Amino acid sequence: MKKRMFWIGIFIIGFVLLQGKTSESVGISPPRIERVFSPNFEENITVNIINTRDEEVNMFVGVDGDISDFIGVSEQEFKLDGRQSKPVILSVKLPAKLKPGIHTVSIIARELPVEKKSGITAFPSIKGELRLAVPYPGKFVELQVEVQNKNRDEPIEVKVLASNRGTDEVGVLRIEARVVDEKGKFKEQVQTTRRKIGAEKNEEISILLSAEKYDVGIYHLFVKGVYDGIQTEEMERVFQVGHLFVNIVNVTSLFKKDKIQKVSIEVESGWNNRIDGLYAEMVVFKEGKEMKEAVKSPSVSIDPWERKIISFFWDTSGIEEGVYEGQVILYYDSKTTVKKFPLIIEEEKKGVNGTIMMVILICVLLFFDMVWLRGVKKKDGWEKGGKNRTEYKL
Amino acid sequence: MRQVPDRMVTIVLIIAIIVAISGFVNVVNKVGGDFSLITGFATSGTGIVNVTVDATAAITLTNSTVEFGNGAVTGGAVGTIVNTSEWAGQPSTFANSAPITVQNDGNVDVNITINGTPVATFLNSNSQFQWAGATGEGGCPAANLTTTLTEMAAAAAYVCTNLTSLDSADHFNINIQVNLSSDLLAQTYTADVEIVAAQV
């Protein structure tokens, strides 16, 4: 019985501790559906709602948007088992006429809370899209623009997808691309040759920027199309030109005396390729004198433009309270980045922490368990060996 | 020991051979009936396997609860600030809490927005309830991540655009900061936050 009580105690404590970290999830497939309008169009479209967790969850599915009145959902609320998906039917029944353009209906899948939790609780939702293109009478061109981040001196290609959403052919389309730097200073302007696009057709157009004009930095690209005296909406895209450099963004600077503590260094890559074998070294100085042997982090890899935290442990024993000169050096691809910062070592404030509380709780549970067991034994002894014992002989 | 006569062995051998041959003939007949074929031999030159993987947008909040525990608020207009930032401890007896972690579990890049209980409903209008994107694993490109502290609102605001689906870097963090004004009544306060993902 004592053993059983002990394990119940451990279970209760473990349950309380594990409650702090919870996870929620939701998914939708496909996340985007595209259709072209025709009068009185009708279709049943299936989307799968996915639970990527192991536990059963309550789901809500709904639609929202300017034409959501024409779309019905087969099941709005349901339970979904762990690691399962459920098909939901969207019944689309469109009227004879709709305003020309792209109508977007959001398909919202939301995990519903099972119970109200304390603190601040986050819930995930997924927004799928049903895009309905209603052709414009006449000519109407829309642009989609894509540009990738590059390293210095690499060719920069701008990809433009021009879509004629109108019912008539566009005879002459010209694309104009203009680039400015972060301060708005003009860098370059490029124009494409003229081309035709048929009714409800797409055309892919590639524009090559002059790589030598772009130093390391962030640039704004503006693209518009001009056709038959009409100008499309101007699209803006941002791209970065990088170089081999890893910046140190943040470093843990406050430490407790005589403790082994985690050091976190936040770094950010300014390079458009992956860097392998990056590591950090930390040294502490007092009036130019090195206080302790340098500590090194393990080697890590960093993806293009990635910000990540490198962690390692540092023992502060033997160093008195005070403000020191900390120095972090990053080593990568035969380059280094150095950051100096004020490093503070202070006395640890005494307080009751979680571990002590847990030990006290276990001791209390064990104490009550022993008292209870003693009581049970006494009672047994009294019944077996006491004066009032009654023996039955059959 | 009793000996088995040679004749008996011969009969058993013949029966065994007949059973084996009839089994072979039966199998060949069942698979095509043509003795020029060998069982298991493909009758067509090329095998084709078609697999189509659909696009899926999915997110997981690997840590969805921010719990600061309990503590005392200090007097004065500044208030008591508790947050999930890795770089700071908490005042009074408030507990450290991990930030909300958003992970892209689908196979398409997604944009992430946030909305939640406004501060006047959650605490009171003298307090602040704010969020800020943080790099975490670095799934969100630095230029696309809102890292400035922003007031939580019922209307959705972008935290991250183009959260990648690549497993090596598919998540980032959202730090929560609460500035508790000194006129807050002693009670437990709770708030909901909705994290919405949509394909880029």
Side-chain angles (χ1 to χ4, degrees), chain B residues 48-62:
Chain B
I48 297 168
V49 178
N50 279 323
V51 179
T52 307
V53 178
D54 287 333
T56 300
I59 55 162
T60 299
L61 307 181
T62 50

Side-chain angles (χ1 to χ4, degrees), chain A residues 14-295:
Chain A
F15 182 70
V16 170
L17 292 173
L18 283 171
Q19 275 223 321
K21 196 150 179 138
T22 52
S23 70
E24 323 281 339
S25 74
V26 62
I28 191 168
S29 178
R32 184 168 292 150
I33 302 151
E34 291 182 348
R35 295 288 185 272
V36 178
F37 172 81
S38 59
N40 304 310
F41 174 86
E42 283 189 25
E43 188 184 351
N44 284 339
I45 300 170
T46 305
V47 289
N48 288 295
I49 307 301
I50 303 156
N51 173 14
T52 55
R53 287 170 66 189
D54 292 325
E55 301 88 32
E56 181 189 75
V57 293
N58 293 327
M59 286 285 183
F60 165 83
V61 180
V63 287
D64 187 32
D66 65 339
I67 56 162
S68 59
D69 289 347
F70 305 115
I71 297 161
V73 180
S74 61
E75 215 173 335
Q76 289 206 312
E77 280 188 33
F78 50 87
K79 284 188 189 300
L80 192 51
D81 287 339
R83 302 272 165 200
Q84 294 298 313
S85 66
K86 184 182 173 73
V88 171
I89 312 288
L90 304 175
S91 310
V92 183
K93 282 183 185 172
L94 297 179
K97 260 186 146 183
L98 271 178
K99 203 175 131 193
I102 300 286
H103 295 266
T104 305
V105 176
S106 299
I107 308 152
I108 300 150
R110 182 178 291 142
E111 187 185 324
L112 295 173
V114 179
E115 58 184 280
K116 188 80 186 164
K117 293 173 188 168
S118 62
I120 300 158
T121 311
F123 301 100
S125 295
I126 282 283
K127 210 187 257 185
E129 273 183 358
L130 169 59
R131 282 187 181 180
L132 183 76
V134 183
Y136 284 82
K139 299 167 184 176
F140 186 83
V141 174
E142 268 186 352
L143 302 183
Q144 284 178 50
V145 180
E146 196 186 308
V147 62
Q148 304 282 335
N149 293 329
K150 292 288 172 185
N151 288 323
R152 193 160 44 193
D153 300 327
E154 284 178 357
I156 305 164
E157 188 191 12
V158 180
K159 287 180 181 169
V160 181
L161 180 72
S163 307
N164 181 3
R165 307 247 182 241
T167 50
D168 297 348
E169 183 186 85
V170 170
V172 191
L173 172 73
R174 190 182 73 235
I175 303 294
E176 292 177 7
R178 180 171 57 90
V179 184
V180 298
D181 67 12
E182 256 203 309
K183 291 173 184 165
K185 194 178 160 193
F186 176 80
K187 297 299 288 183
E188 186 178 7
Q189 179 147 5
V190 183
Q191 278 189 9
T192 62
T193 54
R194 295 168 179 195
R195 58 188 75 203
K196 276 184 188 176
I197 311 180
E200 293 174 39
K201 297 281 182 212
N202 301 325
E203 183 83 18
E204 278 183 23
I205 301 157
S206 172
I207 302 167
L208 212 57
L209 301 178
S210 316
E212 70 279 1
K213 289 184 180 170
Y214 298 91
D215 202 355
V216 173
I218 296 172
Y219 295 92
H220 296 257
L221 165 76
F222 299 92
V223 178
K224 65 181 179 190
V226 181
Y227 60 98
D228 300 340
I230 306 167
Q231 193 174 295
T232 65
E233 186 192 348
E234 191 171 58
M235 312 290 288
E236 184 185 350
R237 295 288 179 270
V238 178
F239 67 95
Q240 276 180 279
V241 175
H243 65 148
L244 184 55
F245 177 71
V246 182
N247 188 26
I248 301 168
V249 181
N250 216 336
V251 186
T252 309
S253 57
L254 188 63
F255 294 90
K256 304 288 179 205
K257 197 183 156 196
D258 297 328
K259 271 192 94 174
I260 296 169
Q261 282 157 92
K262 190 175 162 187
V263 182
S264 296
I265 300 170
E266 190 175 14
V267 297
E268 183 181 13
S269 173
W271 183 235
N272 198 40
N273 298 92
R274 182 186 164 97
I275 300 169
D276 291 314
L278 174 136
Y279 69 94
E281 188 181 272
M282 190 174 86
V283 200
V284 180
F285 297 96
K286 182 83 178 180
E287 290 160 2
K289 190 186 156 203
E290 200 173 312
M291 295 302 292
K292 257 194 145 175
E293 208 174 296
V295 273

Side-chain angles (χ1 to χ4, degrees), chain B residues 117-184:
Chain B
T117 313
V119 69
T121 315
F122 172 31
L123 303 163
N124 65 12
S125 52
N126 293 330
S127 300
Q128 285 179 311
F129 178 27
Q130 295 169 309
W131 59 267
T135 46
E137 195 187 47
C140 189
N144 304 350
L145 184 66
T146 307
T147 51
T148 49
L149 277 170
T150 310
E151 201 63 39
M152 190 72 75
Y158 277 101
V159 192
C160 164
T161 52
N162 289 67
L163 173 61
T164 173
S165 62
L166 296 170
D167 271 351
S168 58
D170 64 357
H171 69 244
F172 74 101
N173 293 335
I174 301 173
N175 277 316
I176 297 292
Q177 178 164 299
V178 180
N179 190 344
L180 304 160
S181 77
S182 55
D183 58 351
L184 274 173

